[in-house]
Amino acid sequence: MKRVLNVGGNSKEILLPNQYDGYEHVLLDIDAAQAPDVVCDAREMAGRLAPGAYDAVYCSHNLEHYYRHEVPRVLAGFLHVLKEPGFAQVIVPDIGEVMRACIARGMALEDALYDSTSGPITVHDVIYGFGSEIERSGSDFFAHKTGFTSKSLKAALLQAGFSVVYIENWNFSVYAMAFKGVPDPATIALFELGNVPD
């Protein structure tokens, strides 16, 4: 059975995308209170986890919770745990799109960009972290410490050593599929990635 490492996923009650049906779901999180399968700071993955143990890494809205200078260390951990070929699916807030929306709409930090299952998401939430979650938890795990655009996320993944990176933008988020080695045609078809990017 294929294995996916869900980095910073908070809880297994938060479902992974359908493409991971049939994968063994292994949750890694820094917060032991969430009862993850692996309690680990993502910055320490390369030193603490076995190499080549996973077919995929899924990281949704977690990479922005590290300082810019720490991002290469987190991405090195992704590469470390991935088999070859393997891939990392990384989703982060799209700061470029947020800035464009603020200028075009004349928005303030407190204005809602969109509604989520957790309630309205403001400009401030996207840039600095979901305010109500930070307040409720009393933990700065949930604060945003850096930001990405499509260009900067792709550059970070390529600089980390991923061979091919696909990028898509949707709903104020950047979606990246980054491959270790030659992309597998079955994975490309499953995620509907299309042609190899430039």
Side-chain angles (χ1 to χ4, degrees):
M1 176 183 283
K2 290 186 176 182
R3 305 175 79 209
V4 56
L5 183 66
N6 180 4
V7 176
N10 188 260
S11 168
K12 282 193 173 178
E13 292 181 9
I14 301 170
L15 299 179
L16 298 182
N18 293 337
Q19 288 93 340
Y20 296 100
D21 290 351
Y23 279 72
E24 179 189 353
H25 177 189
V26 180
L27 175 63
L28 178 147
D29 204 277
I30 195 171
D31 187 1
Q34 298 300 325
D37 300 300
V38 181
V39 178
C40 181
D41 184 325
R43 294 167 291 192
E44 306 301 326
M45 288 170 55
R48 293 196 42 210
L49 275 61
Y54 296 92
D55 301 278
V57 169
Y58 180 76
C59 183
S60 179
H61 291 280
N62 181 260
L63 195 59
E64 66 274 12
H65 295 266
Y66 300 95
Y67 290 110
R68 182 180 177 184
H69 68 275
E70 296 171 324
V71 168
R73 211 160 106 202
V74 176
L75 297 180
F78 292 1
L79 279 169
H80 172 78
V81 301
L82 279 171
K83 297 177 182 177
E84 188 171 338
F87 65 91
Q89 184 176 25
V90 181
I91 306 166
V92 295
D94 186 345
I95 297 301
E97 186 58 30
V98 171
M99 293 171 69
R100 285 188 288 275
C102 287
I103 292 168
R105 301 180 199 172
M107 299 179 80
L109 283 175
E110 298 77 20
D111 291 340
L113 277 171
Y114 61 92
D115 287 320
S116 77
T117 55
S118 301
I121 303 298
T122 68
V123 174
H124 193 279
D125 291 330
V126 175
I127 296 172
Y128 296 106
F130 191 35
S132 61
E133 183 70 16
I134 296 168
E135 183 179 2
R136 182 196 62 75
S137 69
S139 172
D140 70 354
F141 294 158
F142 297 101
H144 292 180
K145 299 179 178 77
T146 193
F148 298 91
T149 63
S150 298
K151 185 176 179 179
S152 68
L153 180 59
K154 183 174 184 177
L157 289 161
L158 290 171
Q159 287 167 7
F162 285 95
S163 56
V164 177
V165 178
Y166 292 79
I167 293 284
E168 184 180 352
N169 303 77
W170 182 74
N171 196 31
F172 297 102
S173 293
V174 181
Y175 293 75
M177 288 287 290
F179 287 85
K180 180 179 182 178
V182 178
D184 172 42
T187 302
I188 290 172
L190 181 64
F191 286 87
E192 301 178 347
L193 297 176
N195 297 325
V196 175
D198 296 330

